[in-house]
Amino acid sequence: MTKAEIVNEIAKNTGIEKVAVQTVVESFMESVKDSLVKGNPVYLRGFGSFIIKHRAQKAARNITKKTTLTIPAHDIPAFKPAKVFLAEIKK
């Protein structure tokens, strides 16, 4: 499902204009992104959590060139679904 499809679905279900829904969806995504950039996780009860995961430094190999390189430690955004959400998917 794309962002446009989400906007259309919300607009259809709520009766709110697509332009207003698109503004809200984009604002929500921006708020989540800003919070994660600041290092703060976002918890949505019953849905899941947007968190930052830390990846440790590791060695990787380039098989074609037969060389080893080091991938530095870094943080990545991740989504952890709530137990209720997982239970819905498993049905």
Side-chain angles (χ1 to χ4, degrees):
M1 185 175 235
T2 65
K3 182 169 59 170
E5 291 170 337
I6 291 171
V7 168
N8 289 334
E9 186 73 20
I10 293 172
K12 183 177 78 172
N13 291 341
T14 61
I16 301 172
E17 294 182 14
K18 287 182 185 179
V19 175
V21 173
Q22 184 170 356
T23 302
V24 171
V25 169
E26 288 177 358
S27 179
F28 169 76
M29 293 187 321
E30 190 67 30
S31 296
V32 170
K33 185 174 64 172
D34 289 345
S35 181
L36 292 176
V37 166
K38 293 175 185 174
N40 301 322
V42 177
Y43 302 107
L44 302 173
R45 189 174 306 265
F47 185 71
S49 303
F50 294 93
I51 58 175
I52 296 292
K53 287 189 174 182
H54 181 74
R55 298 287 187 217
Q57 178 178 330
K58 65 180 179 180
R61 294 184 53 212
N62 184 339
I63 298 172
T64 58
K65 294 183 180 180
K66 297 182 181 179
T67 59
T68 303
L69 57 117
T70 302
I71 298 174
H74 59 281
D75 294 330
I76 60 167
F79 176 75
K80 182 179 177 187
K83 290 179 183 179
V84 176
F85 185 21
L86 289 175
E88 291 276 331
I89 291 174
K90 290 180 181 179
K91 286 184 180 178

